[in-house]
Every structure is written in C-alpha cells, then in structure tokens.
Amino acid sequence: MLDFTQYGAGSLSESATAVATPDREHPLLDAYSNAVIGVTERVGPAVVRVETGDRTPGARSRGGLGSGIVISPDGLVLTNSHVVGVSRQIRLQDIEGVVTDARVLGVDPDTDLALLRADGARDQRYASLGNSRHLRRGQLVVAIGNPLGFESTVTAGVVSALGRSIRSVSGRTIEDVIQTDAALNPGNSGGPLVSSAGEVIGINTAIISGAQGICFAVASNTAQFVLSEIIRHGYVRRAYIGVSGQTAPVPRRHAVVAGIDNKMGALLAQIEPDGPASRAGLLPGDVVIKLDGVAIHGVDDLIRVLDRDRIGRTLKMDVLRLGRLREIDIHPVERKTVKQ
C-alpha cells in the first residue's frame, strides 16, 4: 500500500527532509543486513538436508524431512531425534546438492537431539558450537534450514527469552531452551540457530502451532553435553529408580507437622517390582520432597535430579508417608536405553 502522507500539508523543504530521512538510516540497515549475510555465508554451507525412510518405489515406510548442522570436518552432524525417529536409512544433502548416506551414532529423545555421521565424508564445511550461556535477550539470531522442503532458507530474529522449559516426546522436560521469533516451519527441525558471530548457539526443535513468533531451540551447551555422552557411550547416561508419578500438592497441615516448605511434591503412583525404589521400601502414595539434598517440587524436579552423577550412589530421599516425614536410602542404577 502506498503512503502519501509525507506529501501532505507543509513546505517543500519539510517534504524534502521527510524523504531524506531514510538515507540517514541506511548505514544502520546495512549493518543489520551485513550481519545476516555474513552469518549465512559462513554457516550456510554447513547446513544439510536430512531425509529418512526408504525411497524404494512402493515402500510402505514414509520418509521424513528435516535439517542438520555439520559440526566437524569428518562429518559429525547434529539434528533432532524426532527427525531421525527409528529410521535406519538416512541421507544427507549439502548446499551443492551432493547426497551421502549417514548412520545414527546415537539419539536422545529426552533432549530431542541426535548425532549422525556422514559415510565417507572428509574435510566438510562445518560450524562451531558456541556458549549459549553468553546469550542475552534481544540478541540477533539467524535460523538456517529447509522449511517445507525449501532449501537453504534463512530467517532472522532475536532471542525472545532464555531458560525456557518444554516437554520432549519422551515426556521429560528439556531445560534451558532458547525462545526466538526467527520464523521456523516444519523442515527447520534440526537446523542451527546462529549468533551474529557465526557460532551455533541452538538446535531448532519446536514451534507452537497457531502462534506467531514463538519458536524454540535446544541450547548449544545442552547439545555439547549430549554430543560428548553419545561419542563416549553411544547414548546419554541417566539415573533410574523405577517409579512413575505425578506432581501433587502437599497439604499445608502435613508440611507444618513435617517442618518443610514444599507446597508441591512428586507423588509416586507406581513402583516397579524389584527396582531401586521397591528395594528401598518406597510405596505408592509416598510424596518425594527431597532427594540428595535437592528440594523436589514435582516430577520434573525428580527427573532432573536423576542425572548421570547419581548413578550407583546411595542417596538420601525425604518422603511424606501418611503425613509423616521419612528418610529413605535409595541406590539409583543406570537407566536402560534402547540403542539404535
């Protein structure tokens, strides 16, 4: 739509001033454009298209499509676990159209990340993982990927918020998630979120259907942790006690009698037979309020505390049972993981 307001009432000199104003803003717009262009030229060649599924005509399996980022010259690629799924046939296509097969080194549904290796790939263009702890709200970020199948698409925006939590496909919460307004669409999943310095500070993972400008990326520091665990063990090690439960309120009278501050706790609904919780004497209906000195205000807190550092250790667990506080010793084991 044309805007003729600048040519309304007023002298010719005023109109000339109004027309000349954008010229003074030109250097600022150029700086923004140059930043996005620089990031795109630096990181764009390291972004690959990730295809899964059998391409044989008539095959029943339906392939998926996403993005990935090469993080080493020997072909290590980070993407989303939901892009890979259970597929064993992975193909990567780079910006020049070169297609190569890839194999899955490991997946971590709890953080929606997967690590691939391109077969026979050497001296590939790659990008570096940055430190997501240095991010600030309002910071310029660029998302690169293949939304809806459109290759090498670039969108720009800002870091809208830091430290978000979202639910992964496994039900576990992904912590320290970056929220951005850089436009993402199906196919962007697994692609990089890049800072103006050309460092990958997130792996794009989720959008909210129906919302505009609310997109999420797994922080690069989380990706670095998952990457190191998969390279070392083939999966991410986490502790396990054999319970299922839900977040539940702690009655005020019980909290007063027990001398605790918790308003919420992790209510145990089921105890796995012969699991660590069963052997420790935990019962359905117990409410966990503290584990290894860390206050538990819900199931998410309990899951978060059960990390690799607590595997094989005897921990103190405080639970409310029929309104009375009990201290129980529990010995978490390593969670069994189905390997690819």
Side-chain angles (χ1 to χ4, degrees):
M1 183 177 67
L2 298 177
D3 183 3
F4 295 102
T5 55
Q6 61 178 330
Y7 300 111
S11 65
L12 181 61
S13 59
E14 291 174 340
S15 297
T17 300
V19 173
T21 299
D23 290 336
R24 293 198 296 269
E25 296 176 354
H26 187 67
L28 179 61
L29 295 176
D30 254 0
Y32 179 88
S33 298
N34 287 335
V36 177
I37 292 170
V39 168
T40 304
E41 292 178 345
R42 182 173 173 181
V43 180
V47 179
V48 294
R49 173 190 177 112
V50 180
E51 284 186 68
T52 65
D54 192 348
R55 291 197 298 179
T56 304
R60 286 187 176 183
S61 60
R62 184 177 180 182
L65 177 65
S67 305
I69 179 68
V70 182
I71 56 171
S72 72
D74 60 345
L76 285 179
V77 178
L78 272 174
T79 185
N80 287 152
S81 69
H82 79 259
V83 169
V84 173
V86 296
S87 178
R88 295 184 179 276
Q89 297 190 12
I90 312 290
R91 292 169 300 280
L92 307 177
Q93 179 177 315
D94 65 18
I95 195 172
E96 297 176 351
V98 177
V99 178
T100 181
D101 290 333
R103 55 193 172 93
V104 180
L105 296 183
V107 297
D108 185 41
D110 291 342
T111 56
D112 196 23
L113 292 173
L115 183 65
L116 314 176
R117 185 184 291 280
D119 292 340
R122 293 294 182 272
D123 298 324
Q124 286 199 329
R125 295 288 296 273
Y126 67 96
S128 301
L129 292 176
N131 188 344
S132 55
R133 290 195 180 277
H134 294 163
L135 288 175
R136 296 292 182 270
R137 285 188 302 167
Q139 183 173 334
L140 170 66
V141 287
V142 177
I144 308 175
N146 306 296
L148 302 173
F150 293 101
E151 307 292 337
S152 305
T153 298
V154 178
T155 57
V158 298
V159 174
S160 303
L162 296 166
R164 295 293 197 213
S165 298
I166 60 174
R167 189 74 60 183
S168 69
V169 292
S170 70
R172 189 183 183 116
T173 54
I174 309 175
E175 303 294 334
D176 198 25
V177 172
I178 302 165
Q179 180 183 328
T180 177
D181 67 348
L184 301 177
N185 287 285
N188 270 115
S189 295
L193 189 69
V194 191
S195 70
S196 57
E199 295 180 326
V200 177
I201 46 82
I203 303 297
N204 299 320
T205 187
I207 58 176
I208 295 181
S209 180
Q212 295 183 0
I214 304 179
C215 307
F216 300 99
V218 179
S220 58
N221 287 11
T222 300
Q224 186 70 62
F225 163 73
V226 171
L227 167 69
S228 62
E229 285 285 289
I230 290 177
I231 290 176
R232 183 177 301 176
H233 306 290
Y235 60 97
V236 180
R237 301 174 70 232
R238 293 188 174 90
Y240 173 80
I241 60 174
V243 300
S244 65
Q246 63 189 50
T247 300
V250 175
R252 179 60 183 164
R253 64 182 184 277
H254 292 173
V256 171
V257 171
I260 59 175
D261 297 326
N262 297 57
K263 294 182 179 179
M264 307 290 287
L267 173 64
L268 304 184
Q270 292 182 328
I271 307 295
E272 181 181 288
D274 201 34
S278 176
R279 290 193 292 268
L282 288 170
L283 299 173
D286 287 346
V287 179
V288 182
I289 60 169
K290 185 179 289 187
L291 177 62
D292 198 25
V294 180
I296 303 298
H297 299 282
V299 170
D300 290 339
D301 287 342
L302 181 60
I303 292 173
R304 189 183 306 115
V305 171
L306 291 171
D307 57 16
R308 62 174 181 175
D309 295 329
R310 292 180 169 87
I311 296 173
R313 291 172 47 200
T314 299
L315 310 178
K316 298 291 184 183
M317 175 184 283
D318 291 348
V319 301
L320 284 176
R321 179 178 296 171
L322 301 177
R324 295 186 177 277
L325 186 65
R326 293 172 177 264
E327 184 177 89
I328 293 174
D329 290 336
I330 190 167
H331 193 81
V333 298
E334 185 172 330
R335 189 179 69 177
K336 297 179 181 178
T337 303
V338 178
K339 300 180 182 179
Q340 291 266 329

